[in-house]
Structure formats: C-alpha cells, structure tokens
Amino acid sequence: MTVIGVTAVIALNGCSGTGNPAADTTTATRTAPLPRGVITRTEAVAVVDHYEEVNAQANKTQNAELLGTVEGGQLYEQSKADYQFLPTWPKRDQAYYKKAFSYRDRSYYIPEGQSWFAVKATASGSRDQALLVFDKTTDRHFKMVAAVYRDSTSPIPAIDTGNHGLATAVAPSTRVGALAPDQIAGAFEDLYTTGGKNAGTQLASTTATRSALKTYRERTSYRNAKYATLHWETAQPTKPRVYALRLRDGGAVVVFPTAHNRMEQLKDGHIYKGYIKLVPGAQQAVFDKTPRVAILDELQGQALAALTPSGKAAVLGVEYRMVDSR
C-alpha cells in the first residue's frame, strides 16, 4: 500500500503580546497520524498462507479441532458439517474435497479501526471469485470466518481503498439504498418463508434470489407433496456478525450470515394411518436415520451482497449447510 504523509501548519498565539502579530505567532509543523489497519498487507499475506497450510492438513483427515485453529464463524460451522457428510458423498467428491488448494489473484482490503480484513481471491480449480473475511478471535489469532463465492453472473464490485490504501468499513446498521447490511438476511429469508412478499421485495433479481423463490414455489409440488407439507422458518445464525466495506460507487459489499429451518410434516390424514413415515435422506440420516412423521432440518448459511445508494440490494452468492436434523 502506498501511504502519503500529510503535514499541517498550525499557528499558535504566544502567551504575552508585543503588539506585532508576526512576533506574537509561533509556527509549528505537525505530521498528522496516518490511518492504520489491524494488520499490514505483508502480515495479511502470511495469515492467508498459514490458513491454506492448516486447512489442507485438516481436510485430509477431517480434523475439526485442527481446523478450528484457523477457522471460525459461519464458515467453521459449515466446514464441520462437511466433515460429517463426507462419507455420504461420491468417492470422486470426497477425493476432491481432501485435495489441497490455494487462493490466487489475491486483493487485500484492510479497513481502518476494525478487528478484521477481507481478501478477494480465486481458489485454485475454480473460476469464480470469492470474498474471504479474517477476523481476530478471542484468542488473538486471525481466523477465516467467511468465504462466499459469487455466482458466475455476478462479479464482486470494486471496493474503495481511497483511505491511504485502506478500505473503509460500513456499520451494519447504516442504510445504503434500500437496506442496511444487517437487514439483508431478513429480506433474503423472506423469499423462503413467504415467496418474497414482504422484505424480499427490496432485493434485486439475481441467481441466488431466483433459486430461493424456485424452492418456495416447489413446496406444493415436491415429491412428498401428496402426503406432507413443507415450509421454512427464519432461524438465528450461529455466528451473527455482519461485515461490510464501502464500494467505489458509494455502495457497500456485505458478507452476512443467514439461517433457516426446513420443516416437512405428514398431513393429518396420513399421520393417523400409522404405516406412512417420512424417510430421512442421506444427510438427514447422519443426525437421525429414524423414519418419522416430521423432519426438521436446521441450515446455517453465509452470503454475499452488494448495496447501491439507489436501487435494490443484490445478493451475489449464498451457501447453506445442514447442521442438524431431527
């Protein structure tokens, strides 16, 4: 990062006057302190490199404890779920997951006065950009707490680094256009719960929102619709912190947690027949393989969005993982 020193010339009046303004004025030059982030770019590079190394080791044997030394937040909740589900995946997918990867084409965004920084990068073996967030945890170590890939049709907008090379954080409660960063999750979950009739109307049409609406519409035509009902309820994210950075156009790019419960339940008439039960799928059976009259799945997610000063918020990418089924 390139930093530019700023000097200020301050005129200080003397304690006693001589009648001569020039003689009564002392000129002093002070250098204004430059803004600082929680980490330097060189240190941030080392943090990401260390994450890659430990992540590769942990993924080989699904060592959640080791992974927890470099991961936190919603990302860690999802990674632990991946470890549980891995045996249910095709062998090819298991091998791919265990293969080490690296982040290339990195751009670092370090905001002033925050405990965290972000990195825009592309994972080896992928063409899609991701926004990664590393936060300083209670044990004073940086951990990756979010990693959201944008979909192929929604590039990550240009992030403002005009503060002497630093990025600028946006407070989660600050409205930017239609929504504030901490309101996007509620709007997105409204797509699942009502089909976007309420807060969801504040979201622009993107691949992520269209997929959520498709899921909502299929609740009456999915494979068990003859016997059961299906609906979604907004849930509390395990790690609720929101991260936002100012964009060059005055908007904000936001990484936010999101969560919902998926409830499938036999219709009353079929419950009383007794011989009909809902059979858990492969991932649901990891938690409870017992056929039952109702199945409640808890899904924890993380998502990426762009807010514009005028217009609707755009969700650029979203990922969910099932973390419980009962």
Side-chain angles (χ1 to χ4, degrees):
M1 297 181 294
T2 302
V3 294
I4 303 172
V6 179
T7 59
V9 178
I10 303 175
L12 302 177
N13 291 328
C15 295
S16 60
T18 64
N20 182 348
D24 291 341
T25 303
T26 301
T27 302
T29 302
R30 295 180 180 175
T31 301
L34 293 174
R36 297 180 60 182
V38 70
I39 196 171
T40 67
R41 186 186 185 282
T42 300
E43 292 167 340
V45 170
V47 168
V48 180
D49 289 345
H50 179 64
Y51 171 82
E52 291 176 347
E53 179 182 353
V54 175
N55 178 73
Q57 295 173 6
N59 285 352
K60 283 183 179 180
T61 58
Q62 297 82 66
N63 187 334
E65 184 176 356
L66 176 60
L67 186 65
T69 64
V70 293
E71 263 191 21
Q74 291 291 93
L75 178 62
Y76 186 47
E77 298 303 312
Q78 294 184 330
S79 294
K80 289 187 292 183
D82 286 342
Y83 285 179
Q84 290 181 286
F85 297 143
L86 200 64
T88 71
W89 297 356
K91 296 297 183 182
R92 181 178 178 181
D93 292 344
Q94 292 184 41
Y96 182 80
Y97 189 89
K98 295 176 183 179
K99 184 179 179 181
F101 70 92
S102 61
Y103 288 109
R104 49 189 173 80
D105 302 326
R106 302 179 193 170
S107 297
Y108 295 84
Y109 302 98
I110 305 171
E112 178 185 8
Q114 301 295 315
S115 65
W116 57 278
F117 69 95
V119 183
K120 182 167 63 176
T122 304
S124 55
S126 174
R127 295 181 179 180
D128 293 333
Q129 284 184 329
L131 195 63
L132 321 173
V133 177
F134 291 81
D135 201 349
K136 213 168 191 179
T137 59
T138 53
D139 57 6
R140 297 186 178 182
H141 294 296
F142 281 100
K143 294 183 181 182
M144 189 191 289
V145 295
V148 190
Y149 287 82
R150 54 91 171 170
D151 67 60
S152 57
T153 61
S154 302
I156 298 174
I159 298 172
D160 180 22
T161 55
N163 185 17
H164 298 273
L166 296 180
T168 299
V170 176
S173 60
T174 300
R175 183 182 292 271
V176 182
L179 296 169
D182 61 8
Q183 294 176 319
I184 310 174
F188 189 72
E189 291 300 338
D190 181 56
L191 304 179
Y192 286 98
T193 58
T194 74
K197 295 180 178 65
N198 299 318
T201 59
Q202 301 296 328
L203 298 177
S205 177
T206 62
T207 300
T209 57
R210 290 192 293 271
S211 177
L213 288 172
K214 181 174 182 290
T215 299
Y216 174 80
R217 289 193 297 269
E218 290 176 348
R219 75 194 187 286
T220 58
S221 60
Y222 81 112
R223 64 176 185 172
N224 291 333
K226 181 178 179 180
Y227 310 101
T229 60
L230 183 64
H231 70 275
W232 288 261
E233 298 173 346
T234 301
Q236 178 68 23
T238 302
K239 305 295 182 181
R241 186 166 184 184
V242 177
Y243 300 89
L245 291 172
R246 189 169 66 195
L247 297 174
R248 289 181 190 171
D249 65 2
V253 62
V254 184
V255 176
F256 64 95
T258 188
H260 58 239
N261 293 328
R262 176 186 183 274
M263 171 63 81
E264 184 179 16
Q265 184 172 7
L266 286 177
K267 296 176 181 178
D268 288 345
H270 295 287
I271 291 178
Y272 296 120
K273 290 182 179 180
Y275 62 87
I276 296 178
K277 293 288 191 298
L278 295 171
V279 179
Q283 292 190 355
Q284 293 167 322
V286 169
F287 301 100
D288 186 354
K289 62 183 179 181
T290 306
R292 45 201 187 269
V293 298
I295 297 177
L296 176 67
D297 301 327
E298 180 187 345
L299 292 99
Q300 291 288 331
Q302 53 179 337
L304 178 69
L307 300 179
T308 57
S310 60
K312 297 183 176 182
V315 178
L316 308 180
V318 63
E319 297 180 15
Y320 285 98
R321 296 290 192 283
M322 186 189 302
V323 299
D324 191 21
S325 182
R326 54 193 183 273

